[in-house]
Amino acid sequence: DQQVKQNSPSLSVQEGRISILNCDYTNSMFDYFLWYKKYPAEGPTFLISISSIKDKNEDGRFTVFLNKSAKHLSLHIVPSQPGDSAVYFCAASQGGSEKLVFGKGTKLTVNP
Amino acid sequence: GAGVSQSPRYKVAKRGQDVALRCDPISGHVSLFWYQQALGQGPEFLTYFQNEAQLDKSGLPSDRFFAERPEGSVSTLKIQRTQQEDSAVYLCASSLRHRSGANEKLFFGSGTQLSVL
């Protein structure tokens, strides 16, 4: 039973446009959410996070939105750049737990 | 080094063979995690150390899996009598403080890709 779901295995966008990656979760006890980015043959790297007490967090070109009632979060990248091409993982935790529960990832391709 | 280092990068094992995977966390990082990532899946939690203490091993799939961090720095994940279903990328991650997930970023290594034939 997947607690964190990324239903789109892949997404392709043009350079300069907005990329929107989506994530749904089923466990209402999750209170902290993170996005990780992974290039081939490398480990995931932290991108941005959001606490459940907020509904938006922004860091440069990256913004994460959280809709608790829908148990949905999204990552917006604008403008998208070819270097953003990677696999993006959504992850969640609860109660300050050290365990992160990851989704399956979405492969983003940004075309020049 | 500046990041989390894992070795070997690739490991091919025959079914039934024992393997040992090494992780060198970032110096000074208190917490260390092991995750397993099967092909096409996201990383799945295996176990967690705070310094040398293994505080959570609930994700270890069977008693063939064993992890240790005897001096609170380098960690080894050992898999005994490997099976084909053990084939995956094994990721190690570390963080500075003892509570990760909430406010502390995990720094991941590049992983060890294990193939069991």
Side-chain angles (χ1 to χ4, degrees):
Chain A
D1 180 31
Q2 265 202 300
Q3 297 187 70
V4 177
K5 300 178 184 179
Q6 294 177 257
N7 292 320
S8 297
S10 62
L11 174 68
S12 183
V13 300
Q14 283 299 118
E15 181 178 7
R17 305 295 291 269
I18 186 171
S19 296
I20 300 176
L21 296 98
N22 293 303
C23 177
D24 297 293
Y25 61 96
T26 57
N27 186 344
S28 58
M29 299 300 290
F30 286 146
D31 57 8
Y32 198 73
F33 304 89
L34 308 92
W35 286 92
Y36 279 80
K37 175 180 178 180
K38 185 182 183 305
Y39 292 118
E42 294 183 11
T45 55
F46 172 79
L47 192 57
I48 193 169
S49 62
I50 188 167
S51 165
S52 60
I53 62 173
K54 295 185 175 181
D55 54 18
K56 176 182 176 182
N57 188 26
E58 190 171 352
D59 183 2
R61 296 186 297 113
F62 303 91
T63 303
V64 56
F65 295 92
L66 175 62
N67 182 334
K68 288 189 292 293
S69 61
K71 295 193 180 69
H72 177 82
L73 63 155
S74 60
L75 174 68
H76 292 211
I77 306 172
V78 55
S80 301
Q81 299 173 354
D84 296 330
S85 298
V87 177
Y88 289 78
F89 290 99
C90 172
S93 68
Q94 64 182 79
S97 169
E98 62 280 358
K99 284 185 204 176
L100 293 182
V101 180
F102 284 85
K104 290 186 177 183
T106 296
K107 183 177 181 180
L108 173 66
T109 303
V110 180
N111 301 303
Chain B
V4 178
S5 177
Q6 291 188 247
S7 60
R9 185 70 183 90
Y10 301 94
K11 177 68 180 177
V12 178
K14 292 183 179 179
R15 190 160 54 100
Q17 186 179 352
D18 296 349
V19 298
L21 313 180
R22 178 187 168 103
C23 173
D24 279 274
I26 294 173
S27 178
H29 276 197
V30 169
S31 296
L32 185 144
F33 305 79
W34 284 97
Y35 283 82
Q36 179 191 58
Q37 185 177 11
L39 189 63
Q41 305 294 316
E44 290 195 7
F45 173 84
L46 292 177
T47 186
Y48 158 63
F49 291 85
Q50 181 182 327
N51 295 307
E52 70 279 1
Q54 189 175 20
L55 299 186
D56 188 341
K57 53 182 182 179
S58 62
L60 295 176
S62 76
D63 59 8
R64 296 186 295 105
F65 287 71
F66 172 77
E68 60 183 3
R69 193 186 185 198
E71 297 178 357
S73 55
V74 171
S75 176
T76 304
L77 176 67
K78 297 179 180 178
I79 309 173
Q80 297 177 324
R81 304 181 304 282
T82 52
Q83 305 294 316
Q84 284 188 320
E85 61 263 27
D86 300 335
S87 297
V89 175
Y90 290 85
L91 294 164
C92 177
S94 68
S95 69
L96 185 58
R97 294 207 315 243
H98 76 281
R99 279 290 192 186
S100 184
N103 294 307
E104 196 67 30
K105 292 183 292 186
L106 284 185
F107 293 85
F108 281 86
S110 297
T112 293
Q113 184 169 330
L114 173 65
S115 299
V116 181
L117 306 179

